[in-house]
Amino acid sequence: MRDTSLRGAYMYKTILVPVDISEDTLTEKALKQAIHLAKMDNAKIHLFHSVPDVSRFSMSYSYHYDLLSSFTKKAVERSEEQLVELVNRIVKEMDFPADRISYKVEFGSPREKVLDEAEKVQADLIVVGSRNPSISTHLLGSNASGIVSYAKISVLVVR
């Protein structure tokens, strides 16, 4: 017998949570919602952080490739350390099983990398934190609005 209830229509298996290491408030709000939904559906949480691409900036100012490569490697390593700390905090403080949490760090454009990662992990939902809109957000866009605009799956924006 097929479950035709409204509840059955919203079950998630994998929830992707883009994490901005420098924005604790945005991360906390998104995580609380994602974990609440994951607990309801016995879903997995996949944390993802994208280290911004500074290569265009560095080329404009003639920085050396070796310096850029070293910076990128260190930034990815530090981000991974911070995600491990976040996973440990989620397990302890939010009572979420460690075996249902995964994480990844990549280098590149946050919007593009988040959308690629959603496909790779076969996410059913992206839960992303966002600031309240301001004039600069409307003019320049934001990572959250870019994700919402181009995602092929549902996106929950948490403020």
Side-chain angles (χ1 to χ4, degrees):
M1 185 170 158
R2 200 170 121 214
D3 181 8
T4 57
S5 69
L6 183 62
R7 175 75 190 114
Y10 292 99
M11 292 191 65
Y12 303 110
K13 293 179 184 173
T14 303
I15 300 172
L16 174 63
V17 183
V19 173
D20 186 340
I21 302 278
S22 65
E23 292 281 352
D24 289 343
T25 304
L26 295 181
T27 297
E28 283 298 316
K29 290 178 181 181
L31 267 177
K32 285 180 183 178
Q33 287 296 318
I35 289 171
H36 175 75
L37 291 169
K39 284 181 176 180
M40 288 175 33
D41 290 338
N42 203 29
K44 294 179 182 177
I45 297 282
H46 183 74
L47 306 174
F48 180 77
H49 176 69
S50 176
V51 176
D53 183 355
V54 294
S55 62
R56 281 186 235 143
F57 172 80
S58 66
M59 284 181 202
S60 298
Y61 293 95
S62 301
Y63 287 112
H64 296 274
Y65 176 78
D66 292 341
L67 180 64
L68 179 61
S69 179
S70 174
F71 167 77
T72 301
K73 183 179 178 188
K74 288 182 191 289
V76 168
E77 287 172 0
R78 180 64 185 132
S79 296
E80 287 174 345
E81 291 169 5
Q82 289 175 304
L83 283 182
V84 168
E85 291 171 10
L86 182 58
V87 167
N88 291 333
R89 204 174 86 232
I90 292 169
V91 170
K92 287 180 183 176
E93 296 175 14
M94 298 181 180
D95 192 33
F96 196 80
D99 65 342
R100 289 187 12 224
I101 305 172
S102 59
Y103 65 90
K104 187 172 184 182
V105 175
E106 283 197 18
F107 176 73
S109 162
R111 182 193 79 208
E112 292 172 19
K113 292 296 182 177
V114 166
L115 297 174
D116 289 346
E117 192 67 12
E119 285 188 36
K120 288 177 189 172
V121 300
Q122 298 177 333
D124 311 288
L125 175 69
I126 300 171
V127 178
V128 61
S130 179
R131 292 177 200 83
N132 289 328
S134 66
I135 190 67
S136 63
T137 302
H138 290 295
L139 293 175
L140 301 174
S142 70
N143 290 327
S145 66
I147 291 167
V148 168
S149 296
Y150 294 97
K152 296 177 183 174
I153 60 173
S154 295
V155 180
L156 173 60
V157 178
V158 181
R159 293 202 169 123

